[in-house]
Each structure stands twice: as C-alpha cells, then as structure tokens.
Amino acid sequence: MDMDDPQDAGAAFWAQILGFTISEEPPPPDSPLGRVRAFVAEHGEDALRGEHFEAAREGRPLLP
C-alpha cells in the first residue's frame, strides 16, 4: 500500500473508520480467507464456487 497515493490513503482511512485492517501479509491459515486460498492452491481457481466461501465462514470443510 502506497500511503503517498491518495486512493490508497483514503482506502486505509475508511478501513480504519469501519473497523477493518488492510494488510499486505497473507491471512492466517485458519481464517476463512486463508482456508479459501489453501483450497485454490490445491484445486485451482476453477474449482472454487460460492458455496466454498460460505463453508469457510462457517468453519465447514471445503470440498472439491
């Protein structure tokens, strides 16, 4: 994130206002996003469906 870029600075500001944190580091592997990324690394983007996001949020296994 380039804080000299007005768009990046604005995004960071509003993320803080809304209670989010913008990070350039990978998500923790046990987080929903980390689990989705691991699924994509193993099965490829074409295997990813909307149900996988719901399953990741609910803590269910992500099945191909």
Side-chain angles (χ1 to χ4, degrees):
M1 181 166 264
D2 179 8
M3 294 311 284
D4 291 328
D5 180 347
Q7 187 169 1
D8 284 352
F13 171 77
W14 285 108
Q16 285 181 327
I17 295 295
L18 295 171
F20 294 97
T21 302
I22 297 176
S23 175
E24 294 182 12
E25 297 180 20
D30 60 340
S31 71
L33 181 56
R35 295 179 59 225
V36 168
R37 288 180 58 153
F39 178 87
V40 168
E42 184 176 341
H43 300 286
E45 288 182 26
D46 293 337
L48 188 63
R49 298 185 309 275
E51 301 88 49
H52 292 112
F53 292 103
E54 185 176 328
R57 282 191 302 270
E58 294 174 357
R60 293 184 286 125
L62 305 182
L63 304 173

